Amino acid sequence: MKKYALNEITSTQYICLNSGIQISVFFLSMPRKLAEKAGTDGWIALIIGWAVTVAASLIVIQVMKRYPEGTLFDLLTRYVGKWTGKAAAIFFALYLFYYAYTGLVQAVLLTKAWLLPQTSAFIVMLLLLIPTYVIARNGLRVLGRYAEIVFMISWWIPFVYLLLLRDVNWLNMFPILKEGWMPVFSAVPTTFFSYIGFATTFILYPFLKNKKKASSAIMISNTLTMFGYVFITVICFVYYSPDEIQKYNEPMVSILESIEFKFVERIGVLFIAFFLLIFSLAWIPAIYMGVFCTSWLLGQQDHRNHLRLLWLFTAVGTFFFIPTFNQSDRMNDFLIRVGFGIEYVFPGCLLIYLWMHDRFQWRKNL
């Protein structure tokens, strides 16, 4: 019997989860950050980052094929030893909790800035944590269905942004590679924050119903993420001038002020409220998989007690302290560095180790 059969997810749910984890609040400010690094050639950096991410994602899949019925921690326990598996579980739990916390902090700051400026950060955090607990407590299958629903009700968003094309200047994009390749390459590390989250495959893989489609599923999810980022980046680049876009913190929201509907005022506020639903796909799965790690560490099947403790700790901590926008940016910079090591470097090193281990065992048995 499969160890994780109770919470199996479909390939579609996996695609939605993986792509949803990658699309965080950073999505709103990304065009500005790319413009600061590479001007209107920043979209090329997104494609390069996507290619690197696809390669790293496929390496993760190849690693998990060595032990398809277990998570990364089960695999490490089998190949290296139980203490290595436990250390990895602790490290991944801390990483996922930090990833989720940065997403929550950004969501709180965004909500206060655009929607509820007079409401305390503690109350806003509670408003986000309550549905987070309700969804995460029910396990991965419910989380997968939630991701599917969010994706299905979000397909209308790109069509609204297409309305802006009547007022754009395509000459902003030309000439391509105005200053050569160096600015583009300097912007590539910035794009890694747009794609981190695929390492959750180390935990999600044994839950997949059809593991044969894992490679194609992760490529599809990364490609969907890339298309979303490139689409909104190009829209912002052709609407704003190269210098003007750098004046807006969240150009993806500011650009909506030029769209007018007779039946609604301040459409940007409406979009921010809806974006929070999409961005919840970043912190809710991260929180669930974080408490999954701690539950695995203690050999427990029920993750809900760990989830309650984390919920309480986050809520109480927010009552006493909430990072500012500048502190949040520094947290994101640190997350990029840690995430690059965990999601891009570690899988390759692990695959080399497993290959050498299997080859040594094969020669030893000759």
Side-chain angles (χ1 to χ4, degrees), residues 20 23-25 27-28 110 274-283:
I23 299 177
S24 65
V25 183
F27 193 55
L28 301 180
L110 188 70
F274 193 86
F275 284 151
L276 289 176
L277 187 66
I278 299 174
F279 299 149
S280 69
L281 293 179
W283 71 73

Side-chain angles (χ1 to χ4, degrees), residues 28 105-119 121 124 249-250 253 266 268-269 272 276 325:
L28 301 180
V105 167
Q106 286 181 308
V108 169
L109 295 175
L110 188 70
T111 303
K112 282 183 60 62
W114 287 88
L115 301 179
L116 303 170
Q118 303 301 319
T119 307
V124 176
N249 243 358
E250 291 94 18
V253 180
R266 296 191 66 195
V269 173
I272 285 291
L276 289 176
F325 275 106

